[in-house]
Amino acid sequence: MMLSLEIFLFFFKIAIISFGGTVAILSEMERMLVNEHHWITHEQFIQTFVVAQFVPGPNTAMSPMIGYMVNGWSGFFAAFLGTFSAPIILLGLLYWAYKRYSQLLWVRRLELSLRPVIVGLMMASLFRLWWAQSNPGFQSVIFRTTAFAIGFLAIWLYNKKLIKSLDLIFFMGAAWVYVNWGILTVVR
Amino acid sequence: MSNAAISTPNKKKWFELCFKTGAFAVGGGGRILIYQEFLVDDHGWMLLEEFREAVTVTQVAPGPPFVNLATYLGFKLTNVWATIVGLCLLGIPGPLVGLFIMHFVNLNSRGMTWLFQGFSLGSILIFAIFAWNMATGLTSTENKKISVAKKKLIFRASVAALVGGASLLGLPFMMALIGGSIAGLCVEFLS
């Protein structure tokens, strides 16, 4: 029970200090989990991080998975509650304040002044995500060209409203397996 | 993009959206567009401009950005309890799938690598579509008292480019956020 409370408080703190997502405080999180609390090993941390990249939903999947490793299902839910209760409290206050004052001209201007910052940060994230795909299997011209071609086809289907955003992800998954398998068969 | 009528939000549909995103939106990055599509285009629960506003406000708050957005929208469209249930539906399936993968799936197999590469590519594409939607939002104000003169639009685009560039060059998130916000405030209040 005590351990679950500690897990809850740990992830609550992490959620509060993380600006821009968990990735921004990954090294600090590892230091605290591995060196300070000795809850998991460095290898377990890396393994959890890698698997968390493949799962659906928000980028917070890592926290309950670590909670489970430390203290079973009780740890899983403690970490989940810790991660999600911070946004509920903070965003509850923010929503209340914004709803109350959003009609004021200077508040509207304040929101508009933040927009270019968010657009800039999004574009940077987008570029980083794209760059992260440049692993060795992806570097050859044929694979990159194929990726662009399938990407354009997917965007075309989306713009024609033939598929929705979630379908687009699955379309790309299926198309990428099919094309890679096809290329390898032809090369052989 | 239909910005026409605002209809009354429905809790069951809200839960459906949260569960669909929590259980199926793999690849990271593109989940915001799924929300925009569902709330603005499909059900007309809010205007595109309101959605952009929610994204801007929640991305600068501490905490995981997408959870922040889902919480804010939950409060805006439903009530506290529906927001909490929605967050559970959004946040629990992912780690369960993660634990399943850790125990039963060989991520090193070629087929799995291709599948997840494809998911990531798809996710990047829908994130790109949403980022473009946000960028076009730089031209709007929804308030006649705030001018959108060409000079101001150029300044806004310059701030976005500077923040993006600085972030890519390794400037920490907080520094980019604070520096960019100061520049953005100067553009909005002084130009």
Side-chain angles (χ1 to χ4, degrees):
Chain A
M1 187 65 197
M2 212 46 214
L3 183 57
S4 292
L5 185 66
E6 274 183 59
I7 295 171
F8 170 83
L9 291 173
F10 174 83
F11 285 105
F12 185 82
K13 195 169 93 179
I14 288 288
I16 284 184
I17 61 169
S18 68
F19 276 88
T22 346
V23 179
I25 48 146
L26 215 55
S27 59
E28 178 64 6
M29 198 169 153
E30 188 196 1
R31 188 190 65 75
M32 288 162 89
L33 283 166
V34 178
N35 303 331
E36 211 174 280
H37 292 285
H38 303 287
W39 281 341
I40 52 170
T41 62
H42 172 72
E43 285 69 34
Q44 283 176 311
F45 183 83
I46 299 291
Q47 194 190 11
T48 319
F49 175 71
V50 171
V51 173
Q53 306 310 303
F54 295 129
V55 302
N59 285 339
T60 48
M62 219 181 148
S63 312
M65 285 165 73
I66 291 173
Y68 178 82
M69 283 171 155
V70 180
N71 199 26
W73 289 111
S74 154
F76 179 97
F77 287 106
F80 172 76
L81 288 176
T83 309
F84 280 71
S85 52
I88 291 174
I89 298 166
L90 290 174
L91 268 295
L93 292 171
L94 184 69
Y95 172 68
W96 173 81
Y98 194 73
K99 192 182 168 192
R100 189 166 175 170
Y101 299 109
S102 62
Q103 296 309 314
L104 297 177
L105 191 64
W106 70 268
V107 175
R108 182 75 187 130
R109 280 202 156 135
L110 195 67
E111 188 264 317
L112 285 171
S113 68
L114 291 171
R115 276 195 192 188
V117 186
I118 301 304
V119 169
L121 289 170
M122 274 186 174
M123 293 299 180
S125 303
L126 187 63
F127 187 80
R128 265 193 224 105
L129 280 169
W130 174 251
W131 197 250
Q133 290 299 318
S134 306
N135 59 42
F138 221 71
Q139 271 167 1
S140 68
V141 176
I142 192 159
F143 277 81
R144 275 180 185 272
T145 316
T146 318
F148 270 109
I150 302 173
F152 273 116
L153 175 64
I155 296 268
W156 182 80
L157 290 170
Y158 179 82
N159 280 337
K160 290 275 168 198
K161 297 193 186 299
L162 294 170
I163 55 171
K164 293 208 162 209
S165 48
L166 198 56
D167 308 326
L168 192 147
I169 299 179
F170 286 101
F171 170 80
M172 285 301 287
W176 195 238
V177 171
Y178 184 73
V179 164
N180 275 279
W181 176 77
I183 290 175
L184 277 189
T185 313
V186 171
V187 168
R188 267 189 212 140
Chain B
M1 216 59 63
S2 67
N3 273 359
I6 294 266
S7 64
T8 319
N10 169 324
K11 285 194 197 98
K12 223 159 118 184
K13 287 271 174 200
W14 169 252
F15 296 152
E16 181 194 314
L17 169 67
C18 292
F19 180 71
K20 202 167 80 171
T21 314
F24 301 107
V26 277
R31 295 163 296 249
I32 301 183
L33 188 67
I34 298 175
Y35 267 60
Q36 184 201 302
E37 211 174 70
F38 192 94
L39 302 175
V40 179
D41 308 336
D42 294 351
H43 292 91
W45 289 353
M46 60 198 306
L47 301 172
L48 180 61
E49 190 55 23
E50 285 179 295
F51 189 81
R52 284 176 182 148
E53 204 174 285
V55 173
T56 309
V57 172
T58 54
Q59 303 302 292
V60 294
F66 188 72
V67 178
N68 282 352
L69 178 67
T71 313
Y72 184 96
L73 293 172
F75 280 124
K76 188 178 170 72
L77 300 170
T78 63
N79 57 29
V80 179
W81 297 112
T83 303
I84 293 172
V85 174
L87 287 177
C88 290
L89 292 170
L90 179 72
I92 290 180
L96 288 179
V97 172
L99 290 174
F100 178 84
I101 290 177
M102 265 173 127
H103 288 101
F104 301 108
V105 179
N106 175 17
L107 285 175
N108 296 320
S109 75
R110 214 153 49 181
M112 288 307 283
T113 311
W114 291 338
L115 185 67
F116 284 113
Q117 269 180 351
F119 285 161
S120 299
L121 281 171
S123 174
I124 291 169
L125 284 180
I126 62 172
F127 186 44
I129 296 169
F130 182 73
W132 178 250
N133 282 349
M134 273 305 276
T136 56
L138 291 180
T139 59
S140 63
T141 62
E142 296 275 314
N143 191 320
K144 287 192 177 87
K145 287 182 186 161
I146 304 172
S147 82
V148 271
K150 200 176 170 187
K151 195 173 83 178
K152 191 179 247 181
L153 293 182
I154 293 171
F155 281 147
R156 282 182 186 169
S158 309
V159 172
L162 277 173
V163 170
S167 173
L168 280 177
L169 289 173
L171 191 73
F173 179 83
M174 274 308 282
M175 300 279 280
L177 188 64
I178 294 170
S181 303
I182 294 170
L185 285 170
C186 292
V187 170
E188 286 313 314
F189 287 90
L190 303 178
S191 70

